């Protein structure tokens, strides 16, 4: 909306390439319940937050004299994450604005010393798109963090999920395989680790939140890029075998690291004091799931044969590290 400045109506505008909107994962709905505006993506939410801030500045004395806004990028992205999460609640057919903060509190709470990993399904209680397995007689408020963290233990990332309408958790269930994604009525909330959760719809990650800071989800590994990097670094390699391992490793519940080296045999011996060397063996997806359940990396050669599991990588700290990233990134 415009802001009146003296005898003028002033509109603020933000210009971005169309690709910035189209390439970001986004929803298709403009309105929820035919009346509530929907924030369709994190990018759109940041633009909306910027426009709101610009309009507020026009109400200040001497509007336009100072174009340096006080809000930080962190404030803008958080506002966007809240708006996107609230839009998911509205599209599901419910109301409430506390889900974003409730999920941050949940992912920062441990149960018997364990970091939370699991999932929630955002859907109305009478939705036909969810198969309910358990119903709680007394629903758990999303603001009851301790109890919510406890019942999260009953869920998993790939199986049954806690059912919530955005205000309470009322049971345990799974999305039906025939769910029409175009309806945008059921959303997945994945708790992926310490302080981290993701908002998904129809198998697409819309946002990732780490310790309250929303960000665009990292792009999934693409086969063409994978082959290009392997060719540059390794030369000759078994593309299908390594691609199978990489895809299996992506599904590790607590994350993992796959190390591919032409000197895998020598590295397994050199690191034997901080690894579990094995006789070279090919791993299928189920075996990858098992060996990645323990701490440490999986060491394989360019043919995909595994030489060691549980490999602890460490070394001298360097200036190319990034303290905002985790141990796996910096170890690599």
């Amino acid at each position: 909306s415009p802001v009146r400045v003296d005898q003028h109506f002033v509109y603020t505008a933000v210009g971005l390439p169309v690709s910035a909107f189209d390439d970001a994962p986004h929803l298709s709905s403009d309105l929820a319940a035919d009346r509530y505006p929907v924030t369709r993506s994190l990018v759109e939410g940041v633009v909306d937050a910027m426009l709101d801030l610009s309009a507020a500045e026009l109400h200040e004395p001497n509007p336009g004299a100072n174009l340096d806004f006080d809000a930080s990028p962190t404030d803008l992205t958080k506002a966007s994450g809240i708006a996107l999460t609230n839009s998911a609640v509205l599209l599901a057919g419910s109301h409430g604005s506390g889900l974003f903060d409730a999920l941050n509190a949940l992912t920062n709470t441990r149960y018997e010393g364990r970091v939370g990993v699991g999932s929630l399904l955002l859907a109305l209680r009478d939705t036909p798109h969810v198969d309910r397995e358990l119903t709680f007689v007394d629903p758990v408020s999303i603001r009851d963090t301790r109890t919510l963290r406890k019942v999260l233990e009953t869920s998993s990332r790939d199986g049954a999920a806690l059912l919530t309408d955005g205000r309470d958790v009322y049971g345990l269930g799974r999305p039906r395989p025939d769910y029409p994604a175009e309806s945008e009525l059921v959303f997945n909330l994945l708790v992926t680790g310490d302080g981290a959760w993701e908002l998904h719809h129809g198998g697409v990650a819309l946002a990732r939140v780490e310790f309250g800071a929303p960000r665009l989800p990292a792009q999934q590994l693409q086969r063409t890029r994978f082959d290009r990097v392997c060719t540059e670094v390794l030369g000759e390699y078994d593309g299908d075998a390594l691609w199978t391992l990489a895809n299996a490793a992506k599904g590790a519940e607590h994350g993992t690291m796959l190390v591919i080296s032409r000197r895998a045999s020598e590295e397994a011996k050199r690191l034997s004091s901080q690894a579990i060397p094995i006789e070279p063996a090919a791993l299928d997806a189920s075996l990858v799931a098992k060996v990645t359940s323990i701490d440490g990396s999986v060491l394989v050669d360019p043919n995909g044969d595994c030489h060691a599991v549980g490999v602890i990588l460490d070394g001298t700290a360097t200036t190319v590290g990034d303290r905002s990233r985790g141990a796996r990134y910096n170890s690599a």
Side-chain angles (χ1 to χ4, degrees), residues 121 123 126-131 174-180 183 185-186:
L121 273 183
D126 59 354
T127 180
H129 304 306
V130 171
D131 288 325
R174 305 169 189 259
R176 292 185 58 88
D178 58 353
Y179 164 65
S183 67
L185 293 172
V186 178

Side-chain angles (χ1 to χ4, degrees), residues 184-195:
E184 295 185 341
L185 293 172
V186 178
F187 294 82
N188 297 80
L189 301 160
L190 301 184
V191 177
T192 59
D194 193 12

